[in-house]
Amino acid sequence: MRQQSYEKLVGNLEDITKQYRLLLECVRKEKEYLIQTNIEKLNEVNVQKEQLLGHTRSLDTLRVTYASDLAQHLGMNTNEPRLLELAQQMGGAEGDRLRSIHSALELLTKRLIEFNRENATYAESALKTVNSAMDNIKDSVTGQKTYQKKGTYRQGNDSAGHFVSKEA
């Protein structure tokens, strides 16, 4: 029974690793399309990314279940068991396998975070450029305002008794 729980968990973790690799590829394509300003392809990649994220979430839910099941067979706390704790408890080749998967997932996660930060920078830059262009277009279309402030009020020394005109 313990071996079945371990195999379910490892299979699930391998599926999650595949999903993370696919997500990483999507994020790389997203960066490329942001640089190229290819909106059509960017939208396609975003749809694909959302689908992958949904599938990854469901796999992660299963991971928690499988990890709790394995922790129960190992006599550990089944409340959110950590992968490295499971690996330590398993020992041997099985523990090494879990540690290997953990390090691969950690590396993929770091890469995904890096690419997402870069993509956010590119997206913000593109938005600033588009907003500037929109403001320029708006200014050129709007034209001159009917009422403009042309004159200014000058303050100087007030001296009583000087009339500009005697007519009332």
Side-chain angles (χ1 to χ4, degrees):
M1 197 65 161
R2 171 185 147 173
Q3 189 64 29
Q4 285 178 333
S5 295
Y6 168 77
E7 289 172 8
K8 282 182 183 180
L9 178 62
V10 168
N12 175 264
L13 290 170
E14 287 174 348
D15 288 344
I16 291 173
T17 304
K18 288 176 190 172
Q19 291 298 306
Y20 274 33
R21 286 193 172 112
L22 291 172
L23 273 170
L24 186 59
E25 186 60 32
C26 275
V27 174
R28 285 179 178 154
K29 286 180 184 177
E30 183 181 48
K31 178 182 176 182
E32 178 182 325
Y33 296 142
L34 278 167
I35 292 170
Q36 295 174 356
T37 61
N38 189 337
I39 303 299
E40 185 178 312
K41 292 285 187 180
L42 189 61
N43 286 334
E44 290 174 13
V45 166
N46 281 326
V47 168
Q48 184 182 9
K49 190 167 71 168
E50 287 299 320
Q51 290 171 345
L52 287 169
L53 285 171
H55 191 237
T56 302
R57 284 186 198 105
S58 64
L59 286 172
D60 196 52
T61 303
L62 285 173
R63 177 197 55 82
V64 171
T65 303
Y66 295 151
S68 295
D69 189 41
L70 181 58
Q72 183 179 8
H73 288 295
L74 296 172
M76 296 172 59
N77 181 7
T78 59
N79 218 7
E80 296 183 32
R82 309 289 301 169
L83 192 55
L84 292 178
E85 292 170 357
L86 290 170
Q88 184 179 7
Q89 192 71 21
M90 294 284 297
E94 294 171 333
D96 290 342
R97 179 75 179 129
L98 290 176
R99 276 188 280 282
S100 171
I101 293 172
H102 178 269
S103 64
L105 285 170
E106 194 172 43
L107 180 65
L108 286 168
T109 302
K110 285 179 183 179
R111 285 185 181 164
L112 280 167
I113 290 169
E114 284 176 28
F115 271 101
N116 271 329
R117 283 188 184 142
E118 288 178 25
N119 289 354
T121 303
Y122 287 121
E124 287 173 14
S125 175
L127 284 174
K128 285 179 185 177
T129 303
V130 167
N131 282 335
S132 293
M134 294 287 286
D135 288 342
N136 289 338
I137 292 169
K138 179 181 168 187
D139 289 343
S140 67
V141 169
T142 319
Q144 298 290 328
K145 295 179 181 174
T146 304
Y147 298 104
Q148 297 180 2
K149 182 178 179 182
K150 290 185 177 180
T152 58
Y153 177 75
R154 286 189 283 164
Q155 289 185 341
N157 295 337
D158 289 335
S159 53
H162 292 217
F163 290 106
V164 175
S165 175
K166 291 184 181 182
E167 295 178 14

